Amino acid sequence: MASRQAPLGGLAPRCLWLLGAVLVMDASARPANHSSARERAANREENEMLPPDHLNGVKLEMDGHLNRDFHQEVFLGKDAGGFEEDAGPRRSRRKLMLIFSKVDLNTDRRISAKEMQHWIMEKTAEHFQEAIAESRAHFRAVDPDGDGRVSWDEYKVKFLASKGHDEREVADKIKNKWDLNVDEETQEVLENLKDRWYQADNPPPDLLLTESEFLSFLHPEHSRGMLQFMVKEIIRDLDQDGDKKLSLSEFISLPVGTVENQQGQDVDDGWVRDRKREFEELIDANHDGIVTMAELEDYMDPMNEFSALNEAKQMIAIADENQNHFLEPEEVLKYSEFFTGSKLVDYARSVHEEF
């Protein structure tokens, strides 16, 4: 399956797939889809041989959870690091207003849905290029002979070595077709990975991935066929009646975990509310109460300009206090937590400081 070229220089995020892992939620903790970008980064090095379960700029995680950082990812792009909690408020306000001025293409001091759509596509393109660079580095790591093709066995050796197995011993066992003696969970992950490897392998299949095929293996949003495979996996995991579609009740079903206290109940109430809104306002395009594979694919496709426009309208509606269908500087500053993940104080006064 051929890689797709993104508009505006290439779009992208990073892949969602929680291959074989079971997420258990403590009632007083956040559900897995509430994890922050910082928490995900902390786990990145340990699992770098696995396709990432999170894709920047893609609406759902691989396990079907909402990407809680999506709006910040498509609004800030590479500038996300400038709004950490320890950043100075004045500096953060200026940075936010600088971004505002870049989104405001016609310099009329307000952002339209079309301007926001263009900006979303541009920031997604940044994530797309980051994913390509990342995949290239990983490809070199698993292609030690440098022949430009990686076999399933070569990848499997590197993957098991990243999980603590002796690389030479694993290679010998695979070469001699001996039992690898891995635990049940690791075996399940390997089986899921091999299935995904087959999907990324362009016909005629030979189980050898080129650099572009390896990119599709790690980041299915780069390939139409792999994006469809990703959508099928998510529907399979959430579909309770086997009709290969999602009803609202299936989509808002709570994650694994038991509500034992009020704090846990509040978390679960938020989970249901957020997913209900997403289902009804964005995913279910024809509003018939059922989400098909085609609808979910359109929703998750980072290259879909119509979806980007819908997101732009939703982002504006969140902060559009005067309901004029535009974003103005004071509105962006007041709702800075939505756009940047950080709450900037004294937003009204700061409008005059920064303009």
Side-chain angles (χ1 to χ4, degrees), residues 109-123:
R109 285 173 53 89
R110 60 183 192 173
I111 296 173
S112 68
K114 279 291 185 181
E115 287 173 324
M116 183 66 85
Q117 176 199 28
H118 182 274
W119 183 255
I120 288 172
M121 300 290 282
E122 189 174 300
K123 295 296 105 178

Side-chain angles (χ1 to χ4, degrees), residues 312-344:
K313 291 177 180 178
Q314 186 191 55
M315 291 171 72
I316 289 174
I318 291 291
D320 184 22
E321 289 201 334
N322 61 13
Q323 299 185 351
N324 66 351
H325 306 294
F326 291 88
L327 273 184
E328 297 170 2
E330 56 269 24
E331 291 171 332
V332 172
L333 286 166
K334 183 173 183 178
Y335 287 85
S336 60
E337 191 167 6
F338 172 75
F339 291 105
T340 71
S342 300
K343 191 170 182 62
L344 309 180

Side-chain angles (χ1 to χ4, degrees), residues 54 82 114 133 255 289 314 346 351:
H54 172 78
K114 279 291 185 181
Q314 186 191 55
D346 298 328
V351 173

Side-chain angles (χ1 to χ4, degrees), residues 120-131:
I120 288 172
M121 300 290 282
E122 189 174 300
K123 295 296 105 178
T124 306
E126 290 181 4
H127 294 308
F128 200 88
Q129 294 304 317
E130 287 176 350

Side-chain angles (χ1 to χ4, degrees), residues 256-276:
V256 176
T258 304
V259 177
E260 296 177 347
N261 54 38
Q262 186 58 48
Q263 185 178 0
Q265 182 65 59
D266 292 342
V267 169
D268 287 345
D269 289 347
W271 166 281
V272 172
R273 182 181 62 250
D274 291 348
R275 292 178 73 84
K276 184 175 186 293

Side-chain angles (χ1 to χ4, degrees), residues 242-295:
D243 65 354
K244 298 182 180 180
K245 301 174 185 178
L246 295 179
S247 65
L248 176 60
S249 63
E250 288 172 331
F251 190 73
I252 67 175
S253 294
L254 294 172
V256 176
T258 304
V259 177
E260 296 177 347
N261 54 38
Q262 186 58 48
Q263 185 178 0
Q265 182 65 59
D266 292 342
V267 169
D268 287 345
D269 289 347
W271 166 281
V272 172
R273 182 181 62 250
D274 291 348
R275 292 178 73 84
K276 184 175 186 293
R277 181 174 62 242
E278 202 76 8
F279 184 99
E280 294 177 339
E281 296 181 7
L282 291 174
I283 309 178
D284 183 15
N286 62 3
H287 305 293
D288 65 351
I290 296 294
V291 166
T292 64
M293 287 190 182
E295 286 176 319

